[in-house]
Amino acid sequence: MMDKTLTTYQDWQEEMQTERGDMITAGEQPCSPAITFRRVNTMKKPMTTGELFEKIKGILEEKGKLPDILDYALASDNPVPIRTYAFALGNCLDYGMSEGIYLDFWIEYFVGNEERRASIGTFKTLHKNSEAMHTMASLLADFIIEERRYVNDNLDDFTWEGADVYALKENGEKLNWGYSCRTVEAAMKRKDKLLRNHEQVSVRDNATRKEKIYSRKRGQDYEEDK
């Protein structure tokens, strides 16, 4: 007799809690829970920090939110690829040492256990009165809002590490919950556990963009390229 298929978020929470306890006892690192997001697959390689700045600047310009007091808006001259959406957007709005007002943006993220920072870009105005500071503060708020919206709407373009694991419904659609694993090896272990309760499980290597469907058949697994 087959095990009960987990189809609700509550089922998933209970399963996650049980398995987290087992993994901690065994000294293993669990995969993180993840909610299914819309796959866009528009990019063939990771976006860089400089490209992200130009993208958000372009959105602001289209919406008429770039103030006319700007002297320049320059993307980082040392761009790095953004391989994960798990980053924090940092900023600094302050008067320049000799002239004007500067608005700097960067991202903070982890590579392994090492915290890193990478510049995105800088806005500058030669004005330095109170009205100019308020204008630049509005630009700061608009940039944060548009950056957050853009990343959330295009999460797949910022997912280039590890692997995603999702159980499938009988019609082949993904359930609305799953796991994001740091390595493909961890994802394969998660897949084996999900197959105890589900007929089919999808494993997607985020670096190669390749996805495979693993199915349970007569107690054995077989895989199909998707």
Side-chain angles (χ1 to χ4, degrees), residues 137-149:
S138 294
L139 175 59
L140 166 60
D142 288 335
F143 192 97
I144 292 174
I145 292 169
E146 296 300 338
E147 185 273 343
R148 179 184 177 85
R149 178 181 293 121

Side-chain angles (χ1 to χ4, degrees), residues 177-207:
W177 55 264
Y179 297 88
S180 180
C181 302
R182 292 186 179 181
T183 65
V184 175
E185 291 76 13
M188 296 303 288
K189 291 181 179 179
R190 173 63 57 178
K191 175 265 298 181
D192 291 339
K193 292 185 177 182
L194 286 177
L195 281 173
R196 299 173 187 171
N197 298 307
H198 303 276
E199 286 297 321
Q200 291 187 315
V201 174
S202 165
V203 178
R204 194 245 198 174
D205 186 328
N206 292 323

Side-chain angles (χ1 to χ4, degrees), residues 60-166:
L60 293 172
E61 187 173 14
E62 289 178 1
K63 294 185 176 182
K65 293 184 177 181
L66 282 184
D68 55 13
I69 65 171
L70 289 179
D71 180 37
Y72 64 70
L74 296 178
S76 171
D77 58 2
N78 186 28
V80 300
I82 305 174
R83 303 190 62 83
T84 175
Y85 60 83
F87 63 82
L89 179 65
N91 62 80
C92 179
L93 174 62
D94 204 353
Y95 293 103
M97 295 295 292
S98 59
E99 63 178 12
I101 300 171
Y102 291 80
L103 174 56
D104 297 311
F105 288 99
W106 63 86
I107 62 170
E108 298 174 355
Y109 59 102
F110 281 89
V111 176
N113 294 322
E114 179 184 354
E115 185 175 8
R116 296 186 183 180
R117 175 187 289 195
S119 173
I120 293 181
T122 300
F123 293 100
K124 177 193 174 184
T125 177
L126 291 173
H127 299 265
K128 58 188 312 181
N129 55 33
S130 297
E131 183 178 352
M133 179 58 81
H134 282 291
T135 299
M136 296 297 282
S138 294
L139 175 59
L140 166 60
D142 288 335
F143 192 97
I144 292 174
I145 292 169
E146 296 300 338
E147 185 273 343
R148 179 184 177 85
R149 178 181 293 121
Y150 179 79
V151 173
N152 285 341
D153 287 346
N154 299 276
L155 283 177
D156 196 47
D157 289 338
F158 297 90
T159 306
W160 296 86
E161 295 180 342
D164 294 336
V165 186
Y166 291 95

Side-chain angles (χ1 to χ4, degrees), residues 12-25:
W12 167 78
Q13 284 183 313
E14 294 175 355
E15 180 189 71
M16 185 63 184
Q17 187 64 33
T18 299
E19 295 189 5
R20 185 186 298 274
D22 294 341
M23 289 180 176
I24 292 175
T25 300

